[in-house]
Amino acid sequence: MAKPETVRFAIMGCAHIARKVARAIALAPNATLCAVASRSLQKAQTFAAQNALPDTVALYGSYQELLDDPTVDAVYLPLPTSLHVRWAVAAAARRKHVLLEKPAALDAAELELILEACESNGVQFMDGSMWLHHPRTSHMKQLLSLSHSGSIGNIQFIHSTSTMQTRAGFLESNIRVKAELDGLGALGDLAWYCIGASLWAKGYQLPATSFLSHTSMDLAICGSNGSLHVRDFIIPYQEHVASFDFTFGAKFVDLHIGWNVKPEEVHVANVLPQEALMVQEFASLVATGPDNKWPQITRKTQLVVDAVNKSLDLGCKPVSL
Amino acid sequence: MAKPETVRFAIMGCAHIARKVARAIALAPNATLCAVASRSLQKAQTFAAQNALPDTVALYGSYQELLDDPTVDAVYLPLPTSLHVRWAVAAAARRKHVLLEKPAALDAAELELILEACESNGVQFMDGSMWLHHPRTSHMKQLLSLSHSGSIGNIQFIHSTSTMQTRAGFLESNIRVKAELDGLGALGDLAWYCIGASLWAKGYQLPATSFLSHTSMDLAICGSNGSLHVRDFIIPYQEHVASFDFTFGAKFVDLHIGWNVKPEEVHVANVLPQEALMVQEFASLVATGPDNKWPQITRKTQLVVDAVNKSLDLGCKPVSL
C-alpha cells in the first residue's frame, strides 16, 4: 500500500530506543524508514538484522554519510545528549527535519543553537516525548481545560514522579551516568518527563508555586520491585470499604511498548468506620494497661514535623534526625 | 446492650471534628460517651443537642470541671494545639487516659511533657490519626512486609500529599492559620498525615533519602475544584488503550466520614501506539511546513531543567524563570 505524502526517515545511532522508534516509523501511515547509520557499518547491519528491516533501508557506517544521502527527508537522533548539538545542527544544515530524543540538549543555550539551525533551514523540530502524542493526553487536556463548575478549577498543585530500578552495573556503566555523554543524568532522563508533565498541565506557563488546592490525599510507596498507591488514605471515599492498588515485579515488555502486568486493586471491607476502630483500640488498651506503641508513633511524627520546621527556618537545608 | 469493659469517654472541646469522634465513641463496642465540656455550658449544651447525645452525658462549662468528674476514664481533646500540653498533662495528672487530636503538640519538647505525664500516671496515650486504624492500613502493611520475590522489595521512595481547598474566609479566620492557637498551620494539619504515612511505610524508621526505586510514572494534578491522576503517563500499561481518573467537585459528606463521589475512570483507545502517533504528527508537519509548537515545548522544558540544575548548584535555593 502506497503511503500518501510519505516522509523518509533515517535513524542516526542504534541505541535501544531506536528499535521502538523504527517500529513506530513503520506503523505511522505517512512515514517510512529509508536509512540507518551507526559509528560502524557492522553495527548498522546488526541493527537491521535484529529488527528485520527491509532491504530498501540503506545502511551507513558514519553519521555524515547518512546526512549526505539526498533521499533522507528527516532524521531521528537517539544519540548521547552531548552529541545532540553537533549532529542536530549538522542535520538541519543539510535540510533534514529533526526528531531529537530527549533530553534535547545539555542546556538551554545548546538547545537554542539547534532550534535556530532548524528554523533558519526551514525544517521541523520535535523532541521524542511520546506520551504527548497519546490520545489519552489530549483527552485529559480537554478535561483540564473546562471552566464550568463541573471542572477541575484553577490548577494549583501538580505532582509527577518517575522512578526506575536499575540493573546490576547500571551505575557503573550506563550512558545516563556518564557525565561526558549524558551530563544531565536522571534530570534529563526521567525528570524530563516530570518537568514536561507539569508544563503541559499548565499550558506551558513557566512554573510558579501555590499552596491552595482541592482536597487530595495521595500515598505512593515505591520499592525496589513494585509500588503501592492509595488516593484516599486519610478519609476513605466510602465508610465500609476501602481500596488500594499495587504492582509487584512489573516490567516493560519488549520494545518498551507496554507493561507485563497492570496494577491489582484490593478492596478491604470494614464493619466499623476507622474512627470507631481507633476508639475501640484505645479503649481496649485502657482496659489492658497502657502500651508504648502509640506514643512512639506520635513522638516520631512530631520529631519529623520539628525537623521540617527547622529546615524551613534554615532555608530548606537538610536537617539530621 | 451492655458493653463489655466499657471505657467512659469525655470530650474536651466542641470542635467540628468532635462530632465525628462522638459518633465513633458511640459505635465502638467497648466505649461510651459520658461527658462533654466546652468553655461555656451553653456551648456544651448546643453540641449535645446538635448531636442528639443521650441525657446520660454530663455537660460541663469548663474543662477543669470535667477533669474533676470521677466517672470519666478517658478524654478526647480536639483543642487548639497550643492548649494541648496544658490540658493533656492536666488530664493525665487526674489519671484520665488521653486521646489527643493531631498535631499532638507544637514541638517535640512539648510532646515529651505530655508523654511523660501519661507514662508517669499510667494512662494510655494515642493521637487522633484515624487512618492508622482502618483495616486497609494493616492489609497494606502486610503486603509491604512481604520479603519474597513477589513483594515490593526494599522501600526506596515514598510520596504523600494532602491538599484541600479552603472556603472563603479560611485564611483570615480559621484556627489553623492563627499562630497563637495552631502554630504549626498546614504542617501540623495536612502534613501530619503525610509525615505519618512515610514513617508508617518504613516501620517508623526516621527518614533517610535514596534515589533507587522501581519503575513508576505518576502524574497528579490538583485544581481548586478537583484532581486528575494517571499512573502510566510515560509508557501506558497497554498499547491500545490507556486510562486516567478524575474527581471534580468532590466534597466530604457530613461528619467527614466519606466522600460524595468516587473518582471516575476514563479509558481512551488508540489504534496506533503513541510513538507511531508521534512519528505521524512529525511527518505531517514535515509535509505542511514546520510549526513552532513543538520547538517551544522543548525550549520550555529545557529552561526548567536548567533552572533545576542551577538550583541544585545553589543548594536548592529558588531560581526565577
Coordinates of all heavy atoms in Angstrom, one line a residue, chain B residues 115-155:
Chain B
L115 N 3.8 13.1 77.0 CA 4.1 11.7 77.1 C 4.6 11.3 78.5 O 4.2 10.2 79.0 CB 5.1 11.2 76.0 CG 4.6 11.4 74.6 CD1 5.6 11.0 73.6 CD2 3.3 10.7 74.3
E116 N 5.4 12.1 79.1 CA 5.9 11.8 80.4 C 4.8 11.8 81.4 O 4.7 11.0 82.3 CB 7.0 12.9 80.9 CG 8.4 12.6 80.3 CD 9.3 13.8 80.5 OE1 9.0 14.6 81.4 OE2 10.2 13.9 79.7
A117 N 3.9 12.8 81.3 CA 2.7 12.8 82.2 C 1.9 11.6 82.1 O 1.4 11.0 83.1 CB 1.9 14.1 81.9
C118 N 1.6 11.1 80.8 CA 0.8 9.9 80.6 C 1.6 8.7 81.2 O 1.0 7.9 81.9 CB 0.6 9.7 79.1 SG -0.6 10.9 78.5
E119 N 2.9 8.6 80.9 CA 3.6 7.4 81.4 C 3.7 7.4 82.9 O 3.4 6.3 83.5 CB 5.0 7.5 80.8 CG 5.7 6.1 80.8 CD 7.0 6.1 80.2 OE1 7.3 7.0 79.3 OE2 7.8 5.2 80.5
S120 N 4.0 8.5 83.5 CA 4.1 8.5 85.0 C 2.8 8.3 85.7 O 2.8 7.8 86.8 CB 4.8 9.8 85.5 OG 4.0 10.9 85.2
N121 N 1.7 8.6 85.0 CA 0.4 8.3 85.6 C -0.2 7.0 85.2 O -1.4 6.8 85.5 CB -0.5 9.5 85.3 CG -0.1 10.8 86.2 OD1 -0.3 10.8 87.4 ND2 0.5 11.7 85.5
G122 N 0.5 6.3 84.4 CA 0.0 5.0 83.9 C -1.2 5.1 83.0 O -2.1 4.2 83.1
V123 N -1.4 6.1 82.3 CA -2.5 6.2 81.4 C -2.1 6.1 79.9 O -1.0 6.3 79.5 CB -3.3 7.5 81.6 CG1 -3.9 7.6 83.0 CG2 -2.4 8.8 81.3
Q124 N -3.1 5.6 79.1 CA -2.8 5.4 77.7 C -2.8 6.7 77.0 O -3.5 7.6 77.2 CB -3.9 4.5 77.1 CG -3.8 4.3 75.6 CD -2.6 3.4 75.3 OE1 -2.3 2.4 76.0 NE2 -1.9 3.8 74.2
F125 N -1.8 6.8 76.0 CA -1.8 8.0 75.1 C -1.9 7.5 73.7 O -1.4 6.4 73.3 CB -0.4 8.7 75.2 CG -0.3 9.8 74.1 CD1 -0.7 11.1 74.4 CD2 0.3 9.5 72.9 CE1 -0.6 12.1 73.4 CE2 0.4 10.5 71.9 CZ -0.1 11.8 72.2
M126 N -2.7 8.2 72.8 CA -2.8 8.0 71.4 C -3.1 9.3 70.7 O -3.9 10.1 71.3 CB -3.9 6.9 71.2 CG -4.0 6.4 69.7 SD -5.5 5.4 69.5 CE -5.0 3.8 70.2
D127 N -2.6 9.5 69.5 CA -3.0 10.7 68.8 C -4.1 10.3 67.8 O -4.4 9.1 67.6 CB -1.9 11.4 68.1 CG -1.4 10.8 66.8 OD1 -2.2 10.5 65.9 OD2 -0.1 10.7 66.7
G128 N -4.8 11.2 67.3 CA -6.1 11.0 66.6 C -6.0 10.7 65.1 O -6.8 11.1 64.3
S129 N -4.9 10.1 64.7 CA -4.7 9.7 63.3 C -5.6 8.5 63.0 O -5.1 7.3 63.2 CB -3.2 9.4 63.0 OG -2.4 10.5 63.3
M130 N -6.8 8.7 62.5 CA -7.7 7.6 62.4 C -7.4 6.6 61.3 O -7.7 5.4 61.4 CB -9.1 8.2 62.0 CG -9.6 9.2 63.0 SD -11.0 10.1 62.4 CE -11.4 11.1 63.8
W131 N -6.7 7.1 60.2 CA -6.4 6.2 59.1 C -5.6 5.0 59.5 O -5.6 3.9 58.9 CB -5.8 6.9 57.9 CG -4.3 7.3 58.1 CD1 -3.8 8.3 58.8 CD2 -3.2 6.6 57.6 NE1 -2.5 8.3 58.8 CE2 -2.0 7.3 58.0 CE3 -3.0 5.4 56.8 CZ2 -0.8 6.8 57.7 CZ3 -1.8 5.0 56.5 CH2 -0.6 5.7 57.0
L132 N -4.8 5.1 60.6 CA -3.9 4.0 61.0 C -4.7 2.8 61.5 O -4.2 1.7 61.7 CB -3.0 4.5 62.1 CG -1.8 5.4 61.7 CD1 -1.1 6.0 62.8 CD2 -0.9 4.7 60.7
H133 N -6.0 3.1 61.8 CA -6.9 2.1 62.4 C -7.8 1.4 61.4 O -8.5 0.5 61.7 CB -7.7 2.7 63.5 CG -6.8 3.3 64.6 ND1 -6.4 2.6 65.7 CD2 -6.3 4.5 64.7 CE1 -5.6 3.4 66.4 NE2 -5.5 4.6 65.8
H134 N -7.8 1.9 60.1 CA -8.6 1.2 59.1 C -7.9 -0.1 58.8 O -6.7 -0.2 58.6 CB -8.6 2.1 57.9 CG -9.7 1.8 57.0 ND1 -9.7 0.6 56.2 CD2 -10.9 2.4 56.7 CE1 -10.8 0.6 55.5 NE2 -11.6 1.6 55.8
P135 N -8.7 -1.2 58.6 CA -8.1 -2.5 58.2 C -7.4 -2.5 56.9 O -6.5 -3.3 56.7 CB -9.3 -3.4 58.2 CG -10.5 -2.6 58.1 CD -10.2 -1.3 58.8
R136 N -7.7 -1.5 56.0 CA -7.0 -1.4 54.8 C -5.5 -1.1 55.1 O -4.6 -1.6 54.4 CB -7.5 -0.2 53.9 CG -6.6 0.1 52.7 CD -7.3 1.1 51.8 NE -7.5 2.4 52.4 CZ -7.9 3.5 51.8 NH1 -8.3 3.4 50.5 NH2 -8.1 4.6 52.4
T137 N -5.3 -0.3 56.2 CA -3.9 0.1 56.5 C -3.1 -1.2 56.9 O -1.9 -1.3 56.4 CB -3.9 1.1 57.6 OG1 -4.8 2.2 57.3 CG2 -2.5 1.7 57.9
S138 N -3.7 -2.1 57.7 CA -2.9 -3.3 58.1 C -2.8 -4.2 56.9 O -1.8 -4.9 56.8 CB -3.5 -3.9 59.3 OG -4.9 -4.1 59.2
H139 N -3.8 -4.2 56.0 CA -3.7 -5.0 54.8 C -2.5 -4.6 54.0 O -1.7 -5.4 53.5 CB -5.0 -4.9 54.1 CG -5.2 -6.0 53.1 ND1 -6.2 -7.0 53.2 CD2 -4.5 -6.3 51.9 CE1 -6.2 -7.8 52.1 NE2 -5.1 -7.4 51.4
M140 N -2.4 -3.2 53.8 CA -1.3 -2.7 53.0 C 0.0 -3.0 53.7 O 1.0 -3.4 53.0 CB -1.4 -1.2 52.8 CG -2.6 -0.8 51.9 SD -2.6 1.0 51.5 CE -3.0 1.8 53.0
K141 N 0.0 -2.9 55.0 CA 1.3 -3.1 55.7 C 1.7 -4.6 55.6 O 2.9 -4.8 55.4 CB 1.0 -2.9 57.2 CG 2.3 -2.9 58.1 CD 3.0 -1.6 58.0 CE 4.5 -1.7 57.9 NZ 5.2 -0.5 57.8
Q142 N 0.8 -5.5 55.6 CA 1.1 -6.9 55.4 C 1.7 -7.1 54.0 O 2.8 -7.8 53.9 CB -0.2 -7.7 55.5 CG 0.0 -9.1 55.9 CD -1.4 -9.8 56.1 OE1 -2.4 -9.1 55.9 NE2 -1.4 -11.1 56.4
L143 N 1.2 -6.5 53.0 CA 1.7 -6.6 51.7 C 3.1 -6.0 51.6 O 4.0 -6.6 51.0 CB 0.8 -5.8 50.7 CG -0.2 -6.7 49.9 CD1 -1.0 -5.7 49.0 CD2 0.5 -7.7 49.0
L144 N 3.3 -4.8 52.3 CA 4.6 -4.2 52.2 C 5.7 -5.0 53.0 O 6.9 -4.8 52.8 CB 4.5 -2.8 52.8 CG 3.7 -1.8 52.1 CD1 3.6 -0.4 52.9 CD2 4.2 -1.5 50.7
S145 N 5.2 -5.8 53.9 CA 6.2 -6.6 54.8 C 6.6 -7.9 54.1 O 7.6 -8.5 54.7 CB 5.5 -6.9 56.1 OG 5.0 -5.7 56.7
L146 N 6.0 -8.3 53.0 CA 6.5 -9.5 52.4 C 7.9 -9.3 51.9 O 8.4 -8.2 51.6 CB 5.6 -9.8 51.1 CG 4.1 -10.0 51.4 CD1 3.4 -10.1 50.1 CD2 3.9 -11.2 52.2
S147 N 8.6 -10.5 51.9 CA 10.1 -10.3 51.5 C 10.4 -11.2 50.4 O 11.6 -11.2 49.9 CB 11.0 -10.6 52.7 OG 10.7 -11.9 53.2
H148 N 9.5 -12.0 49.9 CA 9.9 -12.9 48.8 C 9.9 -12.1 47.4 O 9.6 -10.9 47.4 CB 8.9 -14.1 48.7 CG 7.5 -13.7 48.7 ND1 6.9 -13.1 47.6 CD2 6.5 -13.9 49.6 CE1 5.6 -12.9 47.8 NE2 5.3 -13.3 49.1
S149 N 10.1 -12.9 46.3 CA 10.3 -12.2 45.1 C 9.1 -11.5 44.5 O 9.1 -10.7 43.6 CB 10.9 -13.2 44.0 OG 9.9 -14.2 43.8
G150 N 7.9 -11.9 45.0 CA 6.7 -11.3 44.6 C 6.3 -10.1 45.4 O 5.1 -9.7 45.4
S151 N 7.2 -9.5 46.1 CA 6.9 -8.4 47.0 C 7.4 -7.1 46.4 O 7.9 -7.0 45.4 CB 7.6 -8.6 48.4 OG 8.9 -8.4 48.2
I152 N 7.1 -6.0 47.2 CA 7.5 -4.7 46.8 C 9.0 -4.5 46.8 O 9.6 -3.6 46.2 CB 6.8 -3.6 47.6 CG1 6.8 -2.2 46.9 CG2 7.4 -3.5 49.0 CD1 6.0 -1.1 47.5
G153 N 9.7 -5.3 47.5 CA 11.2 -5.1 47.7 C 11.5 -4.1 48.8 O 10.6 -3.8 49.6
N154 N 12.7 -3.6 48.7 CA 13.1 -2.5 49.7 C 12.4 -1.2 49.3 O 12.4 -0.8 48.2 CB 14.6 -2.3 49.7 CG 15.3 -3.5 50.1 OD1 14.9 -4.2 51.1 ND2 16.4 -3.8 49.4
I155 N 11.7 -0.6 50.3 CA 11.0 0.6 50.0 C 12.0 1.8 49.9 O 12.9 2.0 50.8 CB 10.0 0.9 51.1 CG1 8.9 -0.1 51.1 CG2 9.5 2.4 51.0 CD1 8.0 0.0 52.3

